[in-house]
């Protein structure tokens, strides 16, 4: 049996004895002293380790924000690298507390799998990467092509839908991890690598000649990616969801890791005073310390900072904010008010 | 406390013993007692699994996870690159299961055949009196037996794949064979009218050859004269089939592959994932089988060889008639384990994208439906069934070789 089958079976056994894990994840995490956070096995910009072995990325910042809110220390996270096939079992069985791993919010996952999506930290869509030599401009020219895909993702289903809709034929070779799929593409086993567009940009940085490949303009699906928790634990769901909303609200109010201390001392804006934990009910309703959101902004930063540092202009991916701009700038990112 | 407990125990044992001297209670009779413990063990096991199952179900329900086997009739909606039965994106998860199962059986059967043949050759070469051949076989065994199988799978897949050309620059032999990074393309036989007749004639001639062999053996047992049957057999197989072939006007044509658009279409394709996995499994398992063959042959007393030589048998016949039948007794149980390992190891397919059961069913299907318990249980049941079947067949074969010896 391979690694995945073994871990699935271990997870199964865990699931069978999982009664105490279901309720009270927040208490459980506090008692344990670390947050168990499921991330990808390595996707630059979203969750990957740097040369020193520290986890970095937009998804990793999601984990760090939750840890900062609970413990006042963003480093109290135990990362569990998971491939797409393992991720839900790991969450369902209680091996991890939260999954922040570019997971698409779909009806089936939200309902039948016993999961809840706590928000959307990245609005994405499925795209295609092909070799520049082929001279292809549009996805419609891909009839008869072979695709490399990462197993167990929505990409597999979207691809089938798209080709059926356009009465075209395709073949798919399905790999266990992003990395293997990219290797297959680089070796020339397939004509096209397909995944969420952000992932294509990330994987392209790993190719030996990144600029020999182009990412097509076509986007064939909507992929709202966000943090996931188990169904049936509302208190924990609130903590995860509002940790993310705190970063978005900070972005909207212009509070950054650099100016949060000054704002906390001087700001007269009531919204900012509530955000940094001076007014309002503070952390009580969430079961968190009063300075929970201050700690998130101070240690992790607001959404704009995290985006820029990991996937935007400050990173090697150079992805535009696009759909992920705030609602007031023409994007989709919108957080309910903090009051 | 302890001492008191112990003394109570020994007192009890004494009373039991003294009573059993008089009348043996039914639970103290040897056979009954064995039966009693076995029944208790079975009951305990059943209860254990029942509790686990009930607990798992109630937990699933509490977490709001759907369970049951109704997903098998739902539409799967994803493509698979190699299917032995008809399959497309509109097929069900049940069909996906069958596709994966057949792909697993295909790679296992091919792997077992190739590994056995290669393993025998290497094992015999290892014992060769030719120094070079023996050493080369030893090097082969030591290299492939000691490297982790997953590494070998990756090696054959990525290293070999990288050195192959793209479809437009395929290596080719005429219009018949093409080799490129996407696979090996060979002509596909398409049967036409009269093909069934040809098949029947061919099978009849094979039956004829079998009859001839049996008759020749009986003849030899009676008279001691060995009849040369090779030429007659060849004639029986070739002549009638050839006549039928021409009489029916060649009832078979070949569909060739050709480059259309991105890739080759038509003909038969052996995908590189299958080739790489088969190579890795064959090479790895054959290196283990080679050692089993060696141990089997060495276990046969050298006097047997000398006796056979004294009878004037040629070396090839000594091997075939004297040594291997006796060596098999040592080899078969070990070979069974290797076959079982090979079947289990075929699940490494998922690492390189060969669509076996673990990849398409316990992988993609599990992830799309989230029915972990049902799918993993079905997958485990499949491997268990395949392997129990292999064990059963091999044990029967083992029993037969044992009988022959006596």
């Amino acid at each position: 049996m391979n690694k995945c089958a073994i871990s699935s079976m271990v997870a199964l056994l865990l699931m069978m004895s999982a009664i105490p894990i279901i309720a009270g994840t927040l208490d459980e995490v506090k008692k344990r002293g670390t947050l168990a956070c499921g991330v990808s096995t390595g996707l630059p910009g979203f969750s990957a380790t740097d040369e020193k072995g520290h986890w970095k990325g937009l998804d990793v910042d999601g984990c760090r924000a939750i840890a900062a809110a609970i413990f006042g220390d963003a480093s109290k996270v135990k990362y569990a690298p998971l491939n797409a096939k393992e991720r839900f079992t790991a969450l369902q069985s209680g091996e991890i507390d939260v999954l922040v791993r570019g997971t698409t919010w779909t009806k089936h996952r939200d309902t039948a799998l016993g999961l809840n999506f706590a928000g959307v930290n990245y609005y994405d869509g499925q795209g295609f990467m092909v070799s520049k030599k082929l001279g292809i401009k549009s996805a419609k020219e891909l009839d008869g092509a072979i695709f490399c895909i990462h197993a167990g993702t929505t990409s597999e289903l979207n691809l089938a839908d798209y080709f059926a809709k356009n009465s075209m034929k395709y073949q798919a070779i399905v790999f266990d991890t992003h990395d293997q799929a990219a290797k297959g593409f680089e070796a020339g086993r397939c004509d096209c690598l397909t995944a969420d567009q952000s992932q294509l940009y990330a994987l392209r940085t790993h190719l030996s000649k990144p600029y020999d490949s182009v990412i097509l303009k076509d986007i064939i699906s909507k992929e709202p990616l966000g943090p996931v928790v188990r169904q049936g634990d509302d208190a924990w769901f609130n903590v995860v969801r509002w940790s993310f909303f705190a970063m978005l609200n900070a972005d909207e109010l212009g509070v950054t890791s650099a100016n949060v201390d000054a704002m906390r001392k001087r700001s007269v804006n009531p919204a900012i005073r509530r955000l940094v934990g001076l007014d309002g009910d503070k952390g009580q309703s969430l079961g968190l310390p009063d300075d929970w959101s201050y700690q998130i902004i101070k240690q992790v930063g607001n959404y704009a900072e995290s985006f820029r540092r990991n996937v935007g202009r400050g990173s090697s991916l150079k992805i535009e904010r696009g759909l992920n701009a705030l609602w007031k700038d023409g994007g989709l990112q919108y957080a309910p008010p903090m009051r | 406390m302890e001492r008191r407990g112990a003394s109570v125990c020994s007192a009890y044992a004494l009373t039991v013993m003294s009573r059993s001297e008089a009348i043996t209670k039914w639970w103290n009779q040897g056979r009954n007692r064995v039966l009693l413990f076995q029944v208790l063990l079975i009951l305990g096991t059943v209860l254990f699994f029942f509790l686990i199952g009930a607990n798992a179900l109630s937990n699933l329900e509490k977490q709001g996870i759907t369970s049951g086997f109704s997903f098998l009739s739902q539409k799967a909606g994803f493509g698979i690159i190699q299917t032995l039965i008809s399959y497309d994106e509109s097929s069900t998860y049940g069909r996906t299961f069958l596709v994966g199962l057949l792909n697993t059986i295909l790679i296992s059967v091919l792997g077992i055949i190739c590994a056995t043949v290669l393993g025998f050759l290497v094992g015999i070469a290892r014992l060769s009196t030719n120094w070079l051949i023996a050493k080369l076989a030893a090097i082969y065994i030591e290299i492939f037996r000691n490297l982790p199988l997953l590494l070998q799978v990756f090696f054959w897949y990525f290293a070999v794949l990288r050195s192959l050309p793209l479809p437009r620059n395929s290596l080719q032999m005429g219009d018949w064979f093409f080799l490129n990074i996407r696979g090996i393309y060979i002509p596909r036989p398409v049967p036409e009218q009269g093909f069934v007749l040809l098949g029947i004639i061919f099978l009849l001639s094979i039956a004829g050859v079998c009859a001839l062999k049996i008759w020749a053996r009986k003849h030899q047992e009676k008279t001691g004269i060995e009849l040369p049957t090779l030429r007659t057999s060849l004639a029986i197989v070739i002549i009638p089939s050839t006549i039928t072939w021409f009489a029916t006007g060649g009832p078979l044509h070949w569909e060739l592959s050709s480059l259309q658009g991105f890739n080759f279409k038509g003909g038969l394709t052996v995908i590189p994932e299958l080739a790489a996995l088969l190579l890795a499994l064959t090479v790895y398992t054959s290196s283990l089988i080679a050692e089993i063959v060696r141990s089997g042959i060495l276990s046969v007393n050298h006097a047997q060889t000398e006796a056979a030589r004294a009878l004037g048998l040629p070396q090839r016949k000594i091997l075939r008639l004297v040594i291997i039948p006796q060596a098999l007794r040592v080899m078969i149980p070990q070979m069974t384990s290797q076959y079982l390992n090979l079947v289990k190891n075929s699940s490494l397919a998922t690492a390189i994208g060969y669509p076996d059961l673990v990849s398409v069913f316990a992988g993609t299907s599990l992830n799309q439906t989230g029915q972990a318990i049902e799918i993993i249980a079905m997958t485990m049941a499949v491997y268990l069934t395949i392997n129990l079947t292999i064990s059963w067949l091999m044990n029967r074969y083992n029993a037969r070789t044992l009988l022959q010896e006596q």
Side-chain angles (χ1 to χ4, degrees), chain A residues 1-2 8-9 12 15-16 18-19 22 84-85 87-88 92 108-109 111-114 134 136 141-146 152-153 156-157 160 170-176 180 183-184 187-191 230-231, chain B residues 52 55-56 59-60 62-66 76-81 89 154 157-158 161-162 166 181-182 262-263 265 271-273 344 347-348 350-353 358 363-364 366-370 372-373 376 380 383:
Chain A
M1 286 271 166
N2 69 358
S8 306
M9 278 189 302
L12 265 175
M15 187 191 280
M16 288 164 180
I19 299 179
I22 297 165
K85 281 155 49 172
R87 56 185 167 181
F88 298 128
Q92 288 164 338
H108 179 80
R109 290 171 178 177
T111 55
L113 296 195
L134 290 179
I136 285 176
E141 297 168 50
L142 287 170
D143 193 8
I146 300 179
T153 57
E156 272 189 274
L157 301 174
Y170 77 99
Q171 288 179 308
I173 305 152
V174 177
F175 293 90
D176 240 8
Q180 285 161 4
K183 254 194 211 148
R189 175 66 183 97
C190 45
D191 302 298
R230 280 181 297 277
Q231 205 170 283
Chain B
I52 284 188
N55 189 13
N59 280 344
L60 286 176
K62 256 184 220 158
Q63 291 187 40
I65 301 171
T66 318
F78 58 89
I80 299 177
I81 191 161
E89 286 77 28
F154 280 136
Y157 189 58
F158 286 112
L161 206 58
R162 253 167 223 275
L166 289 171
I181 198 161
R182 309 280 161 85
F262 288 101
N263 294 299
K265 302 231 165 68
I271 56 171
E273 288 77 22
K344 289 182 281 179
S347 65
L348 289 172
T350 169
I352 56 165
V358 170
T364 303
L366 193 160
N367 208 265
Q368 308 289 12
T369 61
I373 300 228
I376 294 292
M380 290 201 295
Y383 281 96

Side-chain angles (χ1 to χ4, degrees), chain B residues 5 12 21 25 28 34 55 61 63 73 97 112 140 180 203-204 206 245 251 272 275 283 295 300 305-306 323 361:
Chain B
Y12 175 71
E21 278 164 15
K25 290 274 184 190
N28 279 333
V34 167
N55 189 13
E61 205 172 318
Q63 291 187 40
S73 56
F97 171 74
I112 285 176
Y140 173 92
N180 63 47
L203 287 179
L204 281 178
I206 298 281
W245 173 273
V283 167
S295 73
V300 178
T305 317
E306 284 170 342
I323 299 180
F361 193 63

